[in-house]
Amino acid sequence: MAQQRGVNSLRFNQDQSCFCCAMETGVRIYNVEPLMEKGHLDHEQVGSVGLVEMLHRSNLLAIVGGGGNPKFSEISGLCDLCPSLEKQLLVFPGHKCGSLQLVDLSSTKPGTSSAPFTINAHQSEIACISLNQQGTVVASASKKGTLIRLFDTQTKEKLVELRRGTDPATLYCINFSHDSSFLCASSDKGTVHIFALKDTRLNRRSALARVGKVGPMIGQYVDSQWSLASFTVPAESACICAFGRNTSKNVNSVIAICVDGTFHKYVFTPDGNCNREAFDVYLDICDDDDF
């Protein structure tokens, strides 16, 4: 994630009600709605930070060193843990290129390990993964960044294939809505895409899909589902995205938080209408209390 204004990375907590900002100057923790700083740790306490994760809404933080003057060790990797206490599922890239491995942690006894099961998700290296709140669906994208594929975590069957675009891109974030009705994704193209999952008929289709039978070369392209709505943020500024609180039955919202210090909130309707509702600069919001 490209650094701007001293921000090294951004991460939501498990229910996306807060986000953590890992910075050259330490750590800052924010509430999402309403947007406000909850606390911070300065450079003297934690050094420069590459990644920080918050456990639910507690004061427990996992901190990974990074940046110019780290105080803690630097590591890198890719994984996701189901936020549900009822389904303790861990997903990470498998040894085979483009594969996912899932481990049910609830079936693992202390001092033992449980054999993961594998999903062959993509042909190229995995770049982004996300589990829904219930742990029933996993979404993944490869380093090519054109497709997002969703799989059932029990049967390992592919549920749907979503097309971000046709040009390669680096995906920064994939997130499910709380009830798994929608999915959002952000990339280095500067566009946040919103897809329907509960009613996939809401997603856009290629105009070629109406033509009928097409050649095998473009068959997969035609069959893909495109986002029902999208909005843009500065393309040069990496961002994470998540769903906000519903304002009504037919109006949903998506939050995008960028490393340039900006906060964006858009509302969208099932017909694809999408409008900005709020904008702020979270780095300019200060709180005097340490975390």
Side-chain angles (χ1 to χ4, degrees), residues 96-110:
K96 181 184 175 183
C97 183
S99 69
L100 300 172
Q101 290 197 313
L102 292 95
V103 179
D104 185 357
L105 300 177
S106 63
S107 65
T108 302
K109 296 179 181 179

Side-chain angles (χ1 to χ4, degrees), residues 2 14 19 21 39 50 57 62 97 110 118 135 140 158 169 183 222 260 287:
Q14 284 83 358
F19 69 94
C21 185
R57 292 184 66 89
C97 183
T118 302
S140 65
K158 185 172 74 171
L183 178 143
V222 170
D260 66 356
D287 183 274

Side-chain angles (χ1 to χ4, degrees), residues 152-173:
D152 187 300
T153 59
Q154 287 288 340
T155 66
K156 300 188 281 186
E157 291 181 0
K158 185 172 74 171
L159 300 174
V160 68
E161 182 173 278
L162 307 172
R163 182 168 289 276
R164 181 212 55 80
T166 55
D167 295 330
T170 299
L171 263 74
Y172 295 130
C173 180

Side-chain angles (χ1 to χ4, degrees), residues 1-2 6-11 20-23 49-52 259 282:
M1 192 173 277
V7 178
N8 291 325
S9 70
L10 297 162
R11 295 286 288 184
C20 305
C21 185
M23 307 183 67
V49 177
L51 181 66
V52 58
V259 297
Y282 63 85

Side-chain angles (χ1 to χ4, degrees), residues 81-283:
L81 183 66
C82 175
S84 171
L85 297 175
E86 291 151 10
K87 187 148 189 171
Q88 299 170 38
L89 194 64
L90 176 69
V91 60
F92 51 92
H95 296 294
K96 181 184 175 183
C97 183
S99 69
L100 300 172
Q101 290 197 313
L102 292 95
V103 179
D104 185 357
L105 300 177
S106 63
S107 65
T108 302
K109 296 179 181 179
T112 65
S113 61
S114 176
F117 61 88
T118 302
I119 295 174
N120 294 315
H122 303 271
Q123 292 182 333
S124 53
E125 191 176 344
I126 300 293
C128 198
I129 49 180
S130 179
L131 286 161
N132 67 344
Q133 294 275 331
Q134 299 76 26
T136 56
V137 181
V138 59
S140 65
S142 72
K143 287 201 170 180
K144 189 176 179 182
T146 54
L147 296 171
I148 300 169
R149 291 183 174 132
L150 278 68
F151 298 87
D152 187 300
T153 59
Q154 287 288 340
T155 66
K156 300 188 281 186
E157 291 181 0
K158 185 172 74 171
L159 300 174
V160 68
E161 182 173 278
L162 307 172
R163 182 168 289 276
R164 181 212 55 80
T166 55
D167 295 330
T170 299
L171 263 74
Y172 295 130
C173 180
I174 299 173
N175 253 323
F176 291 85
S177 62
H178 298 289
D179 62 358
S180 298
S181 293
F182 298 97
L183 178 143
C184 61
S186 62
S187 74
D188 62 353
K189 295 295 184 181
T191 305
V192 176
H193 292 275
I194 304 162
F195 300 89
L197 301 182
K198 187 175 182 180
D199 184 359
T200 56
R201 293 172 300 177
L202 297 173
N203 293 326
R204 294 181 298 115
R205 302 300 202 281
S206 166
L208 291 172
R210 295 190 290 269
V211 174
K213 189 175 181 180
V214 295
M217 293 295 291
I218 58 173
Q220 289 184 330
Y221 175 87
V222 170
D223 292 339
S224 295
Q225 300 185 26
W226 299 67
S227 58
L228 76 93
S230 63
F231 61 89
T232 59
V233 295
E236 68 278 3
S237 181
C239 82
I240 57 174
C241 56
F243 290 88
R245 298 174 184 168
N246 290 0
T247 54
S248 72
K249 185 177 180 181
N250 292 317
V251 179
N252 298 274
S253 63
V254 171
I255 306 292
I257 300 164
C258 304
V259 297
D260 66 356
T262 58
F263 172 98
H264 310 256
K265 180 180 179 181
Y266 280 76
V267 294
F268 69 96
T269 54
D271 62 1
N273 189 33
C274 188
N275 295 290
R276 189 164 79 175
E277 185 177 80
F279 172 84
D280 214 324
V281 181
Y282 63 85
L283 290 180

Side-chain angles (χ1 to χ4, degrees), residues 49-71:
V49 177
L51 181 66
V52 58
E53 288 266 8
M54 180 183 187
L55 181 62
H56 297 285
R57 292 184 66 89
S58 71
N59 61 354
L60 296 175
L61 302 176
I63 296 175
V64 178
N69 188 24
K71 201 169 187 178

Side-chain angles (χ1 to χ4, degrees), residues 27-29 37-42 45 286-291:
V27 170
R28 293 176 74 170
I29 308 295
E37 188 182 43
K38 290 175 62 67
H40 59 263
L41 297 170
D42 62 28
Q45 295 170 288
C286 297
D287 183 274
D288 292 333
D289 295 331
D290 287 339
F291 187 69

